[in-house]
């Protein structure tokens, strides 16, 4: 009898407390509230001025202007083709954090033998892709792409080319051009004087200061200087002429069977919950669907390449395999 009395007293106490308090919260509602993204941190794994920085700041501007999140501060953590930022993401405890990434990082992880890998993060979305452009100073002796490539083949290290980090999209494109010109992997490594830079501003200074014979980067990083006449564009890496450089020939038009586009997307920290992952995907999807983001794409000349979740993860795994093979073929990794 004593045991039953205790149960009855406990039940009565519980009823009394329930009557005096607010209704119990719905567990599903609690879960949604805890994972709703109201404040988002954005890591740009590069110095200010380059394509990743432009992407991160365009995201921040659009997310806050459209009221998708309350705040989206951008932090630049540059170095080693984004792998320093990748290491920072690996130690990040805030699940509502996104790091800008892309093809450049895929190559940099391999060439730097980075301890932290993209496969260990949480893929959220691929956002854009952009053609690369090969440029020279306005007064350069190179009148077309063939002039530049043939000079590198003939004079090797005497001809310097600047681009993003070692093993990134710009470096890969330079290697593919020399491969198309008939050089082998070892010959490419010996002939190509590639000067990696930490961001768009440094690349511009090297080219305009005549400290590099040519430069390779995303169109968005050089288009202003091409339009102002301080740089000349020799070719773009897309299959078709670029909308914002319609008079510039493609690399294929110039006689080299090479096409390459630089994709950019976002990753989240390792081992976040499914609810946090879904909330981040929903946030980025809302960004993608906004008219303001469409305007950003048009203004900057970025092509929409939206993929999320599992589809993006599959794409990323395939891209890592493809890039590793290419880097090996052109002698950039052993």
């Amino acid at each position: 009898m004593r045991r039953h009395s205790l149960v009855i007293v406990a039940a009565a106490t519980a009823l009394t407390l329930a009557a005096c308090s607010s209704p119990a919260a719905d567990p599903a509602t609690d879960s949604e509230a805890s994972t709703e993204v109201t404040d988002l941190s954005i890591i740009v794994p590069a110095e200010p001025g380059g394509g990743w920085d432009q992407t991160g700041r365009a995201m921040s501007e659009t997310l806050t202007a459209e009221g998708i999140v309350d705040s989206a501060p951008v932090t630049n953590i540059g170095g080693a083709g984004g792998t320093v930022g990748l290491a920072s993401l690996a130690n990040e405890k805030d699940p509502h954090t996104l790091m800008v990434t892309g093809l450049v990082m895929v190559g940099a992880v391999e060439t730097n033998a980075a301890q932290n890998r993209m496969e260990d993060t949480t893929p959220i979305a691929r956002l854009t892709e952009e053609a690369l452009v090969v440029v020279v100073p306005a007064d350069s002796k190179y009148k077309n792409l063939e002039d530049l490539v043939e000079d590198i083949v003939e004079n090797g290290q005497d001809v310097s080319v600047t681009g993003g980090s070692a093993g990134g999209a710009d470096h890969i494109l330079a290697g593919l051009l020399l491969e198309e010109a008939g050089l082998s992997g070892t010959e490419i490594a010996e002939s190509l004087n590639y000067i990696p830079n930490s961001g768009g501003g440094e690349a511009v200074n090297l080219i305009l200061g005549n400290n590099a014979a040519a430069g390779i980067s995303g169109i968005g990083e050089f288009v202003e200087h091409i339009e102002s006449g301080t740089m000349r564009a020799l070719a773009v890496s897309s299959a078709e002429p670029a909308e914002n450089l319609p008079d510039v020939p493609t690399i294929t038009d110039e006689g080299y069977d090479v096409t390459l586009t630089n994709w950019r997307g976002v990753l989240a920290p390792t081992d976040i919950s499914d609810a946090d992952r879904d909330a981040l995907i929903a946030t980025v999807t809302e960004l993608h669907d906004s008219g303001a983001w469409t305007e950003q794409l048009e203004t900057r000349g970025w092509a929409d390449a939206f993929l999320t979740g599992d589809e993006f993860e599959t794409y990323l795994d395939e891209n890592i395999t493809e890039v590793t093979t290419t880097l090996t073929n052109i002698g950039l990794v052993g």
Side-chain angles (χ1 to χ4, degrees):
M1 288 295 296
R2 180 173 175 79
R3 184 176 65 84
H4 290 292
S5 297
L6 288 172
V7 171
I8 292 169
V9 170
T13 304
L15 288 170
T16 302
L17 289 173
C20 296
S21 63
S22 58
D26 184 337
T29 303
D30 271 359
S31 175
E32 289 172 7
S34 66
T35 58
E36 180 183 359
V37 181
T38 56
D39 298 289
L40 179 69
S41 298
I42 298 175
I43 296 173
V44 170
E47 300 302 324
W52 282 345
D53 187 59
Q54 292 175 13
T55 301
R57 295 186 187 280
M59 289 179 63
S60 176
E61 178 184 332
T62 305
L63 285 165
T64 53
E66 293 292 294
I68 298 170
V69 298
D70 294 336
S71 67
V74 175
T75 302
N76 291 83
I77 305 175
T83 57
V84 175
L86 182 60
S88 177
L89 185 71
N91 295 315
E92 180 59 56
K93 303 303 181 186
D94 179 4
H96 294 173
T97 300
L98 291 176
M99 184 188 72
V100 181
T101 188
L103 178 60
V104 170
M105 188 177 289
V106 175
V109 167
E110 302 304 325
T111 56
N112 288 289
Q115 181 177 356
N116 301 105
R117 298 187 59 85
M118 297 168 74
E119 299 97 309
D120 299 327
T121 67
T122 305
I124 298 299
R126 186 184 71 182
L127 294 170
T128 65
E129 62 180 2
E130 181 183 21
L132 307 178
V133 59
V134 183
V135 301
V136 293
D139 59 355
S140 171
K141 67 180 180 179
Y142 305 118
K143 303 306 178 186
N144 53 49
L145 184 63
E146 185 178 13
D147 288 347
L148 173 63
V149 173
E150 288 187 348
D151 198 20
I152 296 173
V153 171
E154 292 175 9
N155 296 300
Q157 294 288 318
D158 291 339
V159 184
S160 58
V161 178
T162 189
S165 59
D170 308 337
H171 200 172
I172 290 172
L173 181 60
L176 290 174
L177 284 170
L178 295 184
E179 185 178 41
E180 276 294 300
L183 299 187
S184 67
T186 302
E187 291 169 332
I188 292 169
E190 293 174 349
S191 298
L192 181 58
N193 180 4
Y194 185 82
I195 305 173
N197 61 72
S198 60
E202 185 180 348
V204 169
N205 291 336
L206 286 167
I207 297 163
L208 298 185
N210 288 304
N211 293 310
I216 302 174
S217 192
I219 290 174
E221 296 187 41
F222 290 153
V223 65
E224 175 186 342
H225 303 281
I226 296 168
E227 291 175 344
S228 70
T230 57
M231 292 182 186
R232 276 192 295 111
L234 300 183
V236 295
S237 66
S238 47
E240 301 293 335
E243 289 187 13
N244 48 353
L245 292 175
D247 298 327
V248 177
T250 67
I251 290 174
T252 304
D253 291 336
E254 293 294 282
Y256 301 93
D257 187 18
V258 174
T259 57
L260 182 69
T261 54
N262 184 15
W263 66 267
R264 298 188 183 107
V266 285
L267 305 172
T270 308
D271 295 331
I272 64 174
S273 69
D274 289 344
D276 281 317
R277 174 180 179 267
D278 292 344
L280 288 170
I281 291 173
T283 299
V284 175
T285 300
E286 191 173 352
L287 164 79
H288 168 264
D289 293 345
S290 69
W293 184 250
T294 300
E295 290 180 12
Q296 291 276 12
L297 298 182
E298 293 173 353
T299 299
R300 298 174 183 276
W302 297 338
D304 188 3
F306 196 55
L307 279 180
T308 62
D310 292 342
E311 288 184 336
F312 175 46
E313 185 169 2
T314 298
Y315 170 83
L316 180 59
D317 288 342
E318 292 172 350
N319 192 238
I320 290 168
T321 300
E322 292 168 358
V323 169
T324 302
T325 301
T326 300
L327 290 171
T328 303
N329 289 345
I330 62 178
L332 298 182
V333 297

